Amino acid sequence: MTEKMMHIDGLWTRAQSTTTRDIINPFDQGVIATVSEGGRADARDAIDAARRAFDRGPWSRTTGPERGRKLLLLADLIERDTEELARLETLNTGKTLEESRWDMADIAGIFRYYSGLADKDGGEVIASPVPDSTSIVVREPVGVCGQISPWNYPLLQAAWKLAPALAAGCTVVMKPSEITPLTSIKVTELCAEAGFPEGVVNLVLGPGATVGAELAENPDVDLISFTGGIETGKTIMRAAAANVKKVALELGGKNPNIIFDDADFDTALDYILNGVFFHAGQICSAGARVMLQEGIHDRMVEALADRMAKIRLGDGMTDGTQMGPLISAAHRDKVESYIGIAREEGARLRLGGKRPADPALANGFFVEPTLFTECANDMRIVQEEVFGPVITVERFSTEDEALARANNTIYGLSAGFWTRDPDRMRRMSAGLRFGTVWVNDFNVYFTQAPWGGYKQSGLGRELGRMGLEEYTEVKHIFQNHNARPIRWFGV
Ligand SMILES: NC(=O)c1ccc[n+]([C@@H]2O[C@H](COP(=O)([O-])OP(=O)(O)OC[C@H]3O[C@@H](n4cnc5c(N)ncnc54)[C@H](O)[C@@H]3O)[C@@H](O)[C@H]2O)c1
Ligand SMILES: C[N+](C)(C)CC=O
């Protein structure tokens, strides 16, 4: 199998150590590619290339309209190769092809959106209190950006970082998850085809502990943008603190989906399923904490169990599959250990909790859709991110109780609730301490609106205008048109 390589300073490059890694299909454990496995030295080369490209230009000094045109071309190339990208994503992650196709359409749209924003910022003129002066505020590219992404939405999460960074005029070193690099490699090829100058888009493959750590620590990186787990996020923050590097963090979530008695029952039921079982629950915003008001609790639990039992598990590449495998054996171990913890804590297992018996699924990292009821707010299965196809159900009686329970978490990524009462919609929207609140919906995100977490779910925002601002520095330029000595220190 031909080795897929890294991209440093405009060249396709093997790891200096010559180490490689096999990339595995989580549905059958087949090897789908072999890639270079970089290390710190490769990361340093990529950072140096990005530094030179930023400091010398031309990309960092191009006009907004020029940058916009290049991003638009990249969006067109992504659209041209969308089917190839979607297939790669499904082979590498196990998610259904339909989900991957949706992701790729979204990704092309992200590059289009930021191509449109690249020339929209005209700065700001300040009303200066000093006579005969001009005071303006401009935004400039922040510089060299390290961009570390996770395995669950490999290209989508990379695109949330790459598109605004390029629109702002930054240079980047991308580091995808070591287990899901294939679509990032493909998009780097498309960046080369689009003609981004050498050193602007660099790609280093390899583990977080070496390549990722170098990006977080290296003083030549001006901003580190990270999407991944909370503990890794803390490590990156500590590393970045050594040189007061700017940090953007998109971390985990434990997201309540609250169903009041007056909700539209069938729609809420449908969205509980959509909220959890896309990509087998491996979504930062998965609504795995289902909270049911006592009037509909029993009926909803029955309906959920019935619908969950019918979810079709299988190969993401096969038509009709509704849920694929987990990403790896190690991750399945983690999910299974949480199922064990929940049982020990006294949660009632209503459905699933085990691997499927179907021999056709035996080589995949599957866990059945799992439903726990009678869950208490302080159980670990309720408080910690499981990142698998597992729902916990908590019962509540009043709105105040629902709000207090929902907010009782270290996370603050997203929350949703279902009701027909307009006053409750207003009260709950104001009271929920989460970066995104869905009213009568769940798991909606789009390019135009900011995304990010309250509390320990992160720092900063991606997407929307704010997603572009993350990649800029603000400069105040003050010009005195009539400077005269003020003689403070005598004549
Ligand atoms: N908030 C969001 O928008 C969002 C989106 C997707 C995923 N996530 C979160 O991502 C997590 C799942 O992803 P994961 O398991 O890949 O996360 P992870 O933290 O294990 O890894 C994420 C990335 O960080 C790298 N990394 C690991 N250790 C590192 C270190 N010491 N220094 C620098 N980089 C390091 C990894 O190689 C990978 O590229 C979940 O917690 C999920 O909620 C959040
Ligand atoms: C942010 N999102 C929902 C696309 C992926 C989270 O894992």
Side-chain angles (χ1 to χ4, degrees):
M1 209 170 265
T2 319
E3 178 182 340
K4 289 180 180 284
M5 289 181 274
M6 304 180 286
H7 195 67
I8 300 175
D9 209 9
L11 297 173
W12 292 99
T13 311
R14 291 208 156 77
Q16 290 183 28
S17 65
T18 69
T19 313
T20 59
R21 173 188 288 265
D22 286 342
I23 302 302
I24 305 296
N25 179 344
F27 171 70
D28 58 9
Q29 302 185 46
V31 176
I32 48 176
T34 299
V35 303
S36 306
E37 177 91 325
R40 276 190 184 265
D42 303 291
R44 277 196 290 271
D45 282 355
I47 293 166
D48 290 348
R51 184 79 262 162
R52 282 192 302 275
F54 185 80
D55 291 344
R56 291 185 197 156
W59 183 252
S60 49
R61 297 184 197 134
T62 51
T63 62
E66 279 176 82
R67 292 197 299 276
R69 273 195 292 279
K70 198 63 93 186
L71 281 167
L72 203 54
L73 176 56
L74 181 55
D76 287 344
L77 294 175
I78 290 170
E79 218 156 66
R80 183 195 70 191
D81 292 349
T82 191
E83 186 62 16
E84 182 184 348
L85 283 162
R87 286 175 172 273
L88 276 178
E89 201 78 305
T90 287
L91 282 172
N92 202 170
T93 62
K95 66 169 71 175
T96 66
L97 192 52
E98 208 177 333
E99 285 181 58
S100 294
R101 286 184 179 134
W102 197 93
D103 286 351
M104 295 312 144
D106 196 18
I107 288 162
I110 290 164
F111 283 94
R112 280 189 204 294
Y113 175 80
Y114 283 109
S115 85
L117 273 193
D119 63 359
K120 297 296 178 290
D121 179 32
E124 190 186 354
V125 178
I126 304 291
S128 169
V130 180
D132 273 341
S133 71
T134 308
S135 164
I136 58 170
V137 172
V138 293
R139 284 187 177 271
E140 296 182 342
V142 70
V144 174
C145 302
Q147 305 191 325
I148 303 176
S149 14
W151 48 258
N152 66 329
Y153 279 75
L155 191 55
L156 187 72
Q157 298 301 158
W160 286 16
K161 302 178 190 309
L162 181 63
L166 293 175
C170 297
T171 59
V172 304
V173 181
M174 289 192 284
K175 192 210 95 63
S177 166
E178 55 274 35
I179 56 175
T180 56
L182 300 186
T183 46
S184 295
I185 296 172
K186 173 70 190 169
V187 155
T188 306
E189 289 170 14
L190 298 181
C191 289
E193 185 178 342
F196 285 91
E198 286 167 10
V200 172
V201 179
N202 302 278
L203 174 75
V204 183
L205 308 174
T210 52
V211 174
E214 183 65 36
L215 289 173
E217 291 164 19
N218 194 304
D220 274 333
V221 175
D222 298 297
L223 175 143
I224 184 85
S225 175
F226 168 77
T227 300
I230 206 166
E231 289 310 319
T232 318
K234 289 180 191 171
T235 304
I236 285 173
M237 240 179 132
R238 279 191 291 271
N243 43 56
V244 198
K245 195 190 284 348
K246 296 190 186 321
V247 180
L249 300 176
E250 293 288 348
L251 307 178
K254 191 73 191 187
N255 314 284
N257 191 358
I258 307 160
I259 325 293
F260 288 97
D261 286 345
D262 67 341
D264 171 342
F265 185 92
D266 289 337
T267 311
L269 166 62
D270 203 55
Y271 276 78
I272 293 174
L273 301 168
N274 296 342
V276 182
F277 296 110
F278 280 122
H279 200 7
Q282 301 167 114
I283 307 184
C284 56
S285 51
R289 278 185 71 192
V290 174
M291 297 173 54
L292 301 178
Q293 199 165 17
E294 52 197 3
I296 48 134
H297 177 279
D298 294 354
R299 189 173 150 226
M300 187 63 90
V301 166
E302 285 313 306
L304 268 175
D306 182 51
R307 290 275 293 271
M308 285 168 62
K310 293 176 184 149
I311 292 176
R312 287 190 299 276
L313 276 49
D315 183 355
M317 297 296 278
T318 305
D319 274 354
T321 294
Q322 293 176 321
M323 193 184 102
L326 296 171
I327 190 71
S328 64
H331 187 56
R332 180 173 59 184
D333 287 349
K334 179 186 155 187
V335 172
E336 287 177 335
S337 92
Y338 269 112
I339 290 170
I341 289 167
R343 299 179 85 154
E344 282 163 22
E345 285 177 314
R348 199 171 136 227
L349 182 65
R350 178 72 175 71
L351 188 81
K354 59 186 191 316
R355 299 178 188 186
D358 182 352
L361 306 179
N363 289 332
F365 306 121
F366 285 94
V367 168
E368 286 181 350
T370 297
L371 179 61
F372 280 108
T373 60
E374 310 306 332
C375 296
N377 196 223
D378 59 355
M379 288 178 175
R380 285 185 62 192
I381 191 76
V382 172
Q383 290 292 333
E384 296 175 21
E385 189 183 44
V386 176
F387 227 51
V390 180
I391 287 180
T392 62
V393 174
E394 294 166 76
R395 188 197 298 261
F396 70 93
S397 55
T398 66
E399 183 182 315
D400 285 348
E401 186 191 351
L403 194 56
R405 276 168 172 259
N407 283 335
N408 181 27
T409 164
I410 61 164
Y411 291 106
L413 190 59
S414 59
F417 65 91
W418 296 79
T419 181
R420 290 187 167 96
D421 176 346
D423 290 331
R424 176 179 283 153
M425 290 178 195
R426 184 180 42 74
R427 288 190 301 267
M428 289 293 290
S429 301
L432 285 165
R433 304 258 312 139
F434 294 83
T436 295
V437 173
W438 293 298
V439 185
N440 293 332
D441 212 319
F442 210 91
N443 246 345
V444 196
Y445 51 91
F446 43 79
T447 312
Q448 293 76 4
W451 178 267
Y454 277 34
K455 302 192 212 170
Q456 295 188 35
S457 283
L459 280 181
R461 291 293 179 271
E462 293 193 303
L463 300 181
R465 281 185 181 272
M466 296 174 91
L468 180 61
E469 287 167 5
E470 290 272 342
Y471 288 94
T472 62
E473 283 277 21
V474 173
K475 182 181 279 179
H476 174 215
I477 302 174
F478 175 79
Q479 186 174 352
N480 191 331
H481 302 293
N482 192 22
R484 295 282 182 274
I486 56 170
R487 309 204 190 285
W488 184 283
F489 296 105
V491 183

